């Protein structure tokens, strides 16, 4: 029997506080195993630009800590592939990574070739076994194309590479940043895969799944667990004879690797220094309200409208976490209040769909709705902040009957007309307001995030002054005041 230990992580999303604990656990296990029997893999989304360490060091912090932890390979997740440009990724990995990066279904759009810094597959020898490794990432073609990538069907990529590698290897391991439903499909439909290590949907498999002869494992999210697999391979029968998989909780009491902790301290200082760059000097504070209109929400909506050359700007106030004080504003402070990797976009939206979203945005069940995924890094959806619109409404009326009139510029909203709307990518996927996902001719604008839009707006004194003008006028409140 040939014995192999696989240590794996996925979807850390720059939770640096967990990385010394993971490294310490991996080191502890490696002390009990011969080094040539241990394979250490990351299944993507290690980097997250909401983290000051990642943003402030241009992700070098992530790569150097992965080096110190001893990873043998990683696959690009969508958080790496979609929040950094290809040139940026090329530079950070070529100059810093001491491990290969896989992208089995991602190609340069101009050449349709795998770039030099990515590998379509990898064969590693451990414990006398030839292990073929495939690494695939979730396909978001509309986004990737804007960054200069072609992303192909991951199922077909895995099928083709498995057929190529199988005759020349003992084991096939797929690093799948695709999500559990797709992992099941790979296992059911493709013969010859031995192990699928999953990610993307943040699922935890405390015990392995065995589907059509393929073992599935996954270790959750944010470094809350480390994945631990022990297997025995029978060379005579060319198959896995024993397979044990578990996830190991990383708790407050878990030991820290002091060398990784020291690296982290250094990168925290470097990141903070880089993010101390001044963006603007604010002459006045910008208040934020998740449950109503506020100047900061208005400023962002106006910025998105101008950035996208639209007639109307829409964004949920929950994208912003705090208001801004007067005085010095830095990149780090903008990251604090607007951490999500959310991109602006432009679309055509009917007046009827716009009106539905506006009505919903006045309801507590929408404002208080918790949102998960799609780049959102806030707590609740919040109200809609708008620009290019004036909304007259009556807070005393029944839900969905509160809006009395909507003016687009000087004209009344036409329910049958399509308007050019600047908004955020999250809405186009149906998150928050379903009617906003019915927009047509959507154009995503990458690589800038909405915090980059905000950074531009806070330097515009006219825009700052305009943000204090009301877009929503409550006629009930107005009338009651006489």
């Amino acid at each position: 029997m040939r014995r192999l230990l696989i240590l794996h992580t996925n979807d850390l999303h720059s939770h640096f506080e967990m990385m010394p604990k993971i490294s310490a656990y991996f080191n502890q296990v490696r002390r009990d195993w011969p080094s040539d029997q241990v394979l250490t893999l990351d299944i993507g989304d290690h980097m997250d630009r909401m983290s000051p360490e990642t943003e402030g060091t241009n992700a070098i912090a992530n790569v150097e800590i992965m080096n110190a932890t001893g990873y043998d390979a990683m696959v690009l997740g969508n958080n790496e592939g979609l929040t950094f440009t290809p040139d940026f990724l090329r530079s950070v990995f070529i100059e810093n990574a001491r491990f290969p990066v896989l992208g089995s279904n991602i190609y340069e759009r101009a050449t349709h070739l795998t770039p030099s810094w990515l590998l379509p597959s990898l064969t590693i020898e451990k414990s006398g076994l030839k292990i073929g490794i495939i690494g695939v990432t979730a396909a978001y073609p509309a986004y990737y194309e804007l960054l200069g990538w072609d992303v192909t069907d991951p199922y077909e990529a895995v099928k083709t590479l498995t057929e190529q590698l199988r005759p020349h290897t003992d084991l096939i391991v797929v690093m799948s940043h695709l999500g559990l439903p797709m992992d099941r499909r790979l296992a059911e439909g493709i013969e010859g895969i031995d192990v699928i290590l999953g990610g993307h949907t943040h699922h935890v498999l405390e015990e392995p799944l065995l589907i059509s002869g393929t073992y599935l494992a996954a270790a959750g999210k944010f470094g809350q667990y480390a994945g631990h697999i022990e297997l025995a391979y029978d060379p005579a029968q060319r198959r896995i004879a024993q397979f044990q998989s578990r996830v190991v909780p990383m708790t407050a009491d878990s030991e820290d690797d002091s060398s990784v902790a020291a690296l982290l301290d250094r990168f925290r200082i470097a990141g903070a220094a880089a993010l101390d760059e001044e963006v603007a000097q604010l002459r006045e504070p910008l208040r934020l309200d998740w449950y109503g209109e506020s100047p900061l929400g208005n400023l962002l909506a106006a910025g998105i409208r101008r950035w996208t050359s639209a007639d109307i700007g829409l964004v949920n106030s929950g994208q912003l976490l705090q208001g801004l004080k007067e005085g010095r504003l830095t990149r780090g402070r903008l990251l604090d209040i607007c951490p999500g990797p959310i991109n602006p976009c432009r679309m055509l939206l009917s007046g009827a769909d716009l009106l539905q979203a506006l009505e919903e945005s006045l309801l507590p069940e929408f404002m208080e709705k918790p949102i998960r995924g799609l780049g959102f890094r806030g707590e609740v959806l919040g109200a809609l902040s708008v620009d290019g619109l004036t909304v007259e409404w009556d807070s005393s009326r029944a839900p969905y009957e509160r809006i009395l009139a909507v003016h687009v510029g000087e004209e009344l909203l036409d329910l049958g007309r399509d308007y050019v709307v600047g908004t955020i990518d999250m809405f186009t996927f149906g998150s928050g307001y379903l009617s906003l996902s019915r927009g047509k001719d959507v154009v995503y604008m990458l690589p800038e995030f909405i915090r980059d839009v905000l950074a531009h707006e806070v330097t515009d004194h006219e825009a700052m002054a305009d943000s204090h003008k009301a877009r929503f006028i409550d006629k009930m409140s107005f009338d009651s005041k006489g």
Side-chain angles (χ1 to χ4, degrees):
M1 294 289 180
R2 302 292 176 91
R3 301 195 175 274
L4 179 68
L5 171 68
I6 303 176
L7 300 171
H8 59 102
T9 54
N10 60 275
D11 296 280
L12 265 79
H13 285 278
S14 289
H15 279 258
F16 284 93
E17 73 279 6
M18 307 306 291
M19 295 179 195
K21 300 180 187 300
I22 289 169
S23 182
Y25 177 72
F26 285 2
N27 287 338
Q28 173 195 325
V29 173
R30 290 185 187 117
R31 286 193 289 268
D32 298 330
W33 282 68
S35 60
D36 73 334
Q37 294 182 11
V38 181
L39 179 64
T40 306
L41 303 172
D42 183 79
I43 320 303
D45 278 7
H46 194 283
M47 301 172 180
D48 195 311
R49 289 184 60 183
M50 73 173 289
S51 157
E53 292 86 356
T54 299
E55 186 77 340
T57 68
N58 293 326
I60 291 172
N62 296 75
V63 176
E64 290 293 358
I65 287 178
M66 292 183 77
N67 288 337
T69 305
Y71 284 92
D72 291 298
M74 73 169 288
V75 61
L76 280 186
N78 53 286
N79 245 62
E80 284 90 16
L82 291 176
T83 64
F84 297 103
T85 65
D87 286 344
F88 177 94
L89 291 173
R90 178 184 182 278
S91 175
V92 74
F93 283 121
I94 283 182
E95 294 177 15
N96 300 282
R98 297 199 296 270
F99 51 86
V101 183
L102 275 71
S104 301
N105 64 322
I106 188 165
Y107 304 91
E108 291 176 334
R109 188 162 178 75
T111 64
H112 201 67
L113 298 173
T114 305
S116 60
W117 56 272
L118 272 180
L119 296 178
S121 64
L122 175 67
T123 299
I124 291 180
E125 188 160 330
K126 294 280 186 179
S127 195
L129 299 172
K130 289 185 176 179
I131 305 164
I133 301 176
I134 300 165
V136 278
T137 195
Y140 296 99
Y143 277 78
Y144 275 110
E145 287 174 9
L146 293 171
L147 290 168
W149 293 115
D150 269 334
V151 180
T152 62
D153 181 353
Y155 182 94
E156 292 302 321
V158 172
K159 186 174 185 294
T160 298
L161 286 166
T162 299
E163 291 171 353
Q164 292 175 1
L165 292 170
R166 184 78 263 181
H168 312 291
T169 57
D170 300 298
L171 290 170
I172 298 290
V173 175
V174 175
M175 297 193 294
S176 167
H177 195 82
L178 303 175
L180 183 56
M182 190 63 177
D183 292 351
R184 290 179 179 273
R185 185 180 164 214
L186 295 176
E188 291 167 354
I190 300 175
E191 186 177 353
I193 304 173
D194 295 289
V195 181
I196 296 175
L197 303 176
H200 188 51
T201 47
H202 297 182
H203 52 289
V204 180
L205 296 179
E206 295 183 2
E207 296 181 353
L209 300 179
L210 180 59
I211 300 175
S212 301
T214 299
Y215 292 96
L216 276 61
K221 64 178 181 179
F222 304 163
Q224 295 167 351
Y225 300 94
H228 181 125
I229 295 170
E230 297 180 24
L231 65 86
Y233 180 84
D234 185 341
Q237 297 191 29
R238 294 184 59 80
R239 67 177 184 86
I240 295 175
Q242 299 170 9
F243 190 96
Q244 294 179 320
S245 173
R246 66 181 188 271
V247 292
V248 180
M250 298 291 108
T251 68
D253 297 330
S254 297
E255 179 187 351
D256 285 344
D257 180 337
S258 59
S259 63
V260 170
L263 267 179
L264 177 54
D265 287 341
R266 178 159 65 87
F267 287 124
R268 279 180 177 147
I269 294 169
L275 293 174
D276 194 49
E277 177 187 345
E278 184 174 300
V279 174
Q281 283 281 347
L282 300 185
R283 298 177 178 177
E284 58 187 340
L286 287 168
R287 182 178 58 84
L288 173 68
D289 186 353
W290 285 345
Y291 307 111
E293 185 175 0
S294 61
L296 188 56
N298 289 345
L299 184 69
L300 180 55
I304 291 172
R305 180 180 66 79
R306 283 188 280 270
W307 193 274
T308 59
S309 301
D311 302 319
I312 297 165
L314 296 176
V315 64
N316 60 309
S317 59
Q319 296 292 343
L320 299 161
L321 303 188
Q322 296 174 337
L324 292 172
K325 297 178 180 179
E326 63 183 307
R328 186 171 183 266
L329 176 64
T330 64
R331 284 179 58 208
R333 183 61 183 147
L334 282 178
L335 179 65
D336 289 341
I337 70 158
C338 192
I342 299 289
N343 302 108
C345 68
R346 183 177 63 241
M347 62 180 169
L348 289 178
L349 188 70
S350 74
D353 285 332
L354 176 60
L355 180 61
Q356 180 181 334
L358 290 170
E359 284 278 16
E360 290 170 345
S361 78
L362 299 172
L363 304 177
E365 56 264 39
F366 279 85
M367 289 187 276
E368 297 168 2
K369 183 190 297 185
I371 301 293
R372 298 288 179 268
L374 299 175
F376 185 70
R377 299 291 187 265
E379 296 182 23
V380 295
L381 179 64
L384 270 181
S385 299
V386 306
D387 190 61
L389 296 177
T390 304
V391 182
E392 296 178 8
W393 68 295
D394 186 338
S395 57
S396 67
R397 297 182 63 167
Y400 295 97
E401 297 177 2
R402 292 180 176 173
I403 293 179
L404 306 174
V406 178
H407 286 85
V408 183
E410 300 299 322
E411 298 180 356
L412 276 172
L413 179 72
D414 182 344
L415 299 185
R417 176 185 162 185
D418 286 341
Y419 292 89
V420 181
V421 174
T423 186
I424 55 175
D425 54 4
M426 186 183 91
F427 287 160
T428 69
F429 299 112
S431 181
Y433 304 97
L434 184 60
S435 65
L436 297 184
S437 69
R438 295 197 281 264
K440 299 174 290 188
D441 300 335
V442 178
V443 178
Y444 299 106
M445 297 186 174
L446 276 68
E448 291 84 9
F449 297 152
I450 57 173
R451 65 172 171 266
D452 298 311
V453 176
L454 195 58
H456 182 269
E457 290 299 298
V458 294
T459 64
D460 186 330
H461 298 305
E462 186 176 336
M464 294 276 284
D466 192 58
S467 71
H468 293 273
K469 296 177 181 177
R471 276 74 160 162
F472 286 84
I473 301 169
D474 185 352
K475 302 300 284 187
M476 167 67 177
S477 175
F478 183 82
D479 293 341
S480 67
K481 292 177 181 177

